Amino acid sequence: MTGTMKAIVLSKFGGFDAFEMRDVAVPAVGPRQVRVRVHATAINPLDYQIRRGDYADDVPLPAIIGHDVSGIVEEKGAHVSEFALGDEVYYTPRIFGGAGSYAEQHVADVDLVARKPNNINHLEAASLTLVGGTVWEALVTRAQLAVHETILIHGGAGGVGTVAIQLAKAMGARVITTARRGNHQFVRSLGADEAIDHTSDDYVSAVADLTRGQGVNVVFDTIGGDTLTRSAPALADAGRVVSIVDISQPQNLIDAWGKNAAYHFVFTRQNRGKLDALTNLVERGLIRPVIGAVLPLARIGEAHELLEGGGSRGLRGKVAIDVAGQTIKLPAL
């Protein structure tokens, strides 16, 4: 196919005004690729880190960024047999490997693409791809969370935390999470067994009380800061810490040595297998996407601003982008 499409282009690194809506060429489809009409995408912390210039060496400008796609297959390469035209699919584009999802159409390697769960819409599906793949790798592949183990999930009301709580419960774990007190009922509705107010309580002491001094088997860090240092005293012996956050400051891990702890750092790798596993859980009703806000593609800068200040805005879950429509949903202050 030839022609043009609307896309949001990052023309400079900087603030929320760094994006421009442009007409750009529709990419050609290779033998093992599909072209997808994008119905929805979503915003991730990785997106605003790229926008700010944190990964300037990896993202030549101008660039189309974005890491979630849910849409419909409109064209496929000569060697693609996994999908038919008209199939609903979802996936994460290859990170730092080409154009992203802030566009009306996207071309992807077929090995990245999975069948969209049939019981959720495109906005919900787009909110799951990068987050879901990250959480699966963190809890299943790296932490190897087991039935009846206890996990502490930092930031349970956020886009990653809401999925992590549900996956951990589906795996049979006891879930403790940190969240603002006003979000405690919400995170419990997702499956959290206990909630700690990180704004007023010392979560290390709270974990000790909740586990009768035994500590947790796994800590899942979604917030960074001094979490790696402070999580070690909350661990049980031979506990595991999994972090998806850049280490922005030195960390003292001497307490982890005394616990025989293992640390894992996750930068998501994309593949169909993780999404197929998530699709199974979504269709069984064990995971449901949580969307806290929706904006149209033209308001991508506002969506970035909302996610970066989400905690103070009352945001719960993901910020999704309606690429095919004009849906607007903002969190109630």
Side-chain angles (χ1 to χ4, degrees):
M1 174 182 174
T2 59
T4 62
M5 63 180 181
K6 297 290 185 184
I8 297 293
V9 176
L10 181 66
S11 57
K12 61 184 178 181
F13 296 118
F16 308 123
D17 62 347
F19 297 106
E20 299 176 4
M21 177 79 83
R22 296 184 186 175
D23 291 317
V24 302
V26 176
V29 176
R32 287 286 294 162
Q33 293 183 319
V34 292
R35 178 174 57 81
V36 174
R37 172 71 61 177
V38 181
H39 281 236
T41 184
I43 311 297
N44 298 279
L46 177 59
D47 296 9
Y48 63 67
Q49 290 162 3
I50 291 173
R51 189 208 74 232
R52 294 185 313 208
D54 297 6
Y55 296 96
D57 292 342
D58 300 300
V59 183
L61 299 182
I64 301 171
I65 67 170
H67 300 92
D68 300 284
V69 170
S70 184
I72 295 175
V73 176
E74 289 196 338
E75 183 181 356
K76 61 179 188 173
H79 298 159
V80 174
S81 59
E82 295 90 333
F83 299 100
L85 301 186
D87 282 353
E88 294 188 325
V89 296
Y90 74 148
Y91 60 94
T92 293
R94 197 171 300 282
I95 297 173
F96 303 143
S101 59
Y102 294 180
E104 293 178 323
Q105 300 183 57
H106 187 265
V107 171
D109 295 340
V110 72
D111 292 338
L112 301 180
V113 178
R115 179 181 62 82
K116 183 182 80 65
N118 59 27
N119 60 334
I120 59 175
N121 61 37
H122 286 292
L123 287 168
E124 293 170 317
S127 77
L128 273 180
T129 61
L130 181 60
V131 163
T134 300
V135 171
W136 185 273
E137 178 150 343
L139 302 192
V140 178
T141 307
R142 302 295 189 86
Q144 298 182 18
L145 182 65
V147 175
H148 302 312
E149 286 193 316
T150 301
I151 183 171
L152 171 63
I153 297 171
H154 287 292
V160 177
T162 54
V163 176
I165 290 171
Q166 295 177 81
L167 179 58
K169 287 305 293 184
M171 296 172 71
R174 179 190 181 195
V175 177
I176 302 171
T177 190
T178 62
R180 296 172 184 268
R181 190 164 301 280
N183 285 328
H184 283 195
Q185 183 177 351
F186 168 65
V187 295
R188 289 180 188 276
S189 74
L190 298 175
D193 298 286
E194 307 288 349
I196 300 167
D197 184 357
H198 62 281
T199 65
S200 61
D201 298 332
D202 176 9
Y203 64 79
V204 175
S205 297
V207 164
D209 291 341
L210 291 169
T211 62
R212 299 182 179 180
Q214 296 300 303
V216 298
N217 305 103
V218 175
V219 172
F220 184 36
D221 172 25
T222 71
I223 59 175
D226 64 353
T227 304
L228 298 185
T229 295
R230 297 196 63 233
S231 289
L235 285 174
D237 188 57
R240 293 90 76 197
V241 177
V242 186
S243 177
I244 61 170
V245 186
D246 291 345
I247 301 174
S248 58
Q249 62 188 56
Q251 301 279 335
N252 180 356
L253 303 183
I254 189 65
D255 289 330
W257 176 74
K259 295 290 184 73
N260 289 299
Y263 278 68
H264 301 269
F265 300 93
V266 173
F267 189 87
T268 300
R269 296 168 292 189
Q270 302 82 53
N271 63 60
R272 183 187 303 144
K274 290 185 287 189
L275 289 178
D276 285 344
L278 282 168
T279 293
N280 178 267
L281 293 174
V282 171
E283 292 183 342
R284 290 167 57 196
L286 297 175
I287 290 180
R288 60 181 176 87
V290 178
I291 297 177
V294 182
L295 286 165
L297 186 63
R299 293 172 64 173
I300 210 85
E302 184 179 344
H304 273 235
E305 183 177 12
L306 178 58
L307 182 61
E308 286 191 68
S312 62
R313 298 279 298 272
L315 179 68
R316 294 171 172 175
K318 293 282 292 183
V319 178
I321 300 298
D322 186 358
V323 177
Q326 296 294 320
T327 304
I328 298 174
K329 172 190 172 185
L330 296 174
L333 294 178

